[in-house]
Amino acid sequence: MDAMHKMTHFVVRTSILFGSIAAFIGWLCFGGMVAISIGIGLGMGLLGYRSIVNLTQSLSIEDGKAQGQRGYVARYAMYGLILGICAWMHLSILGVLIGFLMHKASLLAYAQIEKEDHHGRAD
């Protein structure tokens, strides 16, 4: 399994685990709409991650900077659109952001595990 596939597998599984825990807590404390909002935020984070992975696999040397800028703008436009739709639907924006942060937490967990593995091998 190559490094990108290994990282993606870990990040998706861990994001879903963290997001499920957060959604369950949100549902217990604040109700179903917050749990749905957390799920939407998690999905938003995973979509953004997938677009980054796709972008890195398709970058070319000649047009890399422009491709990166287009990907960045498209990703943040998607985030803005999803947040706008959620606000229009009166969903919990804080819940969406918490779901998004659960995805970011999985990236941090992966980075920490890789850092520990790298330092463990170097000693």
Side-chain angles (χ1 to χ4, degrees), residues 15-64:
S15 293
I16 292 170
L17 174 66
F18 289 173
S20 297
I21 292 168
F24 181 72
I25 292 169
W27 174 70
L28 283 177
C29 296
F30 304 106
M33 294 307 280
V34 170
I36 290 169
S37 299
I38 292 170
I40 290 170
L42 178 62
M44 182 176 76
L46 289 171
L47 277 173
Y49 177 74
R50 189 69 203 155
S51 73
I52 291 169
V53 169
N54 289 340
L55 177 68
T56 59
Q57 293 173 341
S58 68
L59 279 177
S60 67
I61 293 172
E62 307 83 38
D63 197 32

Side-chain angles (χ1 to χ4, degrees), residues 39-106:
I40 290 170
L42 178 62
M44 182 176 76
L46 289 171
L47 277 173
Y49 177 74
R50 189 69 203 155
S51 73
I52 291 169
V53 169
N54 289 340
L55 177 68
T56 59
Q57 293 173 341
S58 68
L59 279 177
S60 67
I61 293 172
E62 307 83 38
D63 197 32
K65 183 176 180 181
Q67 283 178 305
Q69 288 172 339
R70 282 191 303 271
Y72 181 84
V73 169
R75 200 168 50 257
Y76 279 86
M78 176 196 67
Y79 296 155
L81 180 66
I82 291 171
L83 285 171
I85 290 170
C86 288
W88 179 71
M89 294 177 67
H90 303 288
L91 293 173
S92 170
I93 298 301
L94 184 57
V96 174
L97 294 175
I98 288 170
F100 188 75
L101 287 175
M102 293 300 100
H103 166 67
K104 297 302 178 188
S106 73

Side-chain angles (χ1 to χ4, degrees), residues 108-123:
L108 288 172
Y110 181 80
Q112 186 64 36
I113 289 168
E114 284 298 306
K115 178 181 170 185
E116 290 172 4
D117 284 350
H118 179 70
H119 285 294
R121 280 187 246 130
D123 292 340

